[in-house]
């Protein structure tokens, strides 16, 4: 018996790593790119005990750390990841890590 398991969460993380500008897309846009309905994507993620927003936050944090390590500024990271402005990014970063991006980069 062949085991054919397709982990949507891993696919999304890989997709966002390759296309960081798409991490800001909503679930309907990503579902369309994966050629499935929004509801199907939600159901598959639920089967993997996760949800779109938590995966999106995790990917944004991972990408942020990668960009900071590459020397990108807070403004560049904020813009690349699709935040409305730098302040929104700073608030999200504090929620993820407990400290500001400026403090983290030091």
């Amino acid at each position: 018996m062949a085991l054919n398991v397709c982990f949507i969460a891993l696919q999304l993380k890989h997709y966002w790593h390759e296309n960081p500008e798409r991490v800001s897309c909503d679930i309907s846009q990503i579902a369309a790119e994966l050629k499935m309905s929004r509801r199907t994507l939600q159901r598959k993620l639920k089967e993997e005990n996760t949800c779109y927003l938590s995966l999106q936050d995790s990917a944004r944090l991972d990408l942020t750390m990668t960009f900071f390590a590459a020397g990108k500024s807070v403004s560049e990271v904020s813009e690349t990841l699709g935040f409305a402005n730098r302040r929104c990014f700073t608030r999200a970063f504090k929620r993820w890590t407990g400290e500001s991006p400026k403090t983290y980069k030091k």
Side-chain angles (χ1 to χ4, degrees):
M1 179 174 138
L3 183 60
N4 185 12
V5 180
C6 180
F7 294 104
I8 296 296
L10 290 175
Q11 286 181 356
L12 282 175
K13 286 182 179 187
H14 178 74
Y15 176 77
W16 284 326
H17 183 71
E18 297 295 318
N19 304 283
E21 70 284 353
R22 304 296 292 157
V23 76
S24 63
C25 292
D26 68 23
I27 191 170
S28 297
Q29 292 169 312
I30 294 297
E33 290 178 23
L34 294 174
K35 309 226 182 319
M36 63 180 71
S37 71
R38 181 181 68 75
R39 184 65 193 117
T40 298
L41 178 55
Q42 286 174 323
R43 188 174 48 255
K44 288 184 178 202
L45 290 173
K46 186 176 181 179
E47 289 170 3
E48 295 178 21
N49 296 316
T50 190
C51 69
Y52 186 78
L53 292 178
S54 65
L55 283 175
Q56 189 179 44
D57 268 356
S58 175
R60 282 179 164 164
L61 177 58
D62 291 345
L63 288 166
T64 296
M65 299 306 182
T66 301
F67 292 151
F68 281 169
K72 287 196 175 193
S73 71
V74 174
S75 295
E76 289 173 316
V77 174
S78 171
E79 186 177 318
T80 301
L81 298 182
F83 284 89
N85 56 49
R86 183 179 169 160
R87 189 168 41 187
C88 290
F89 171 74
T90 298
R91 218 177 348 219
F93 191 85
K94 282 182 181 178
R95 183 171 30 93
W96 300 331
T97 65
E99 60 186 352
S100 72
K102 186 177 179 180
T103 303
Y104 175 83
K105 286 186 80 168
K106 287 182 181 179

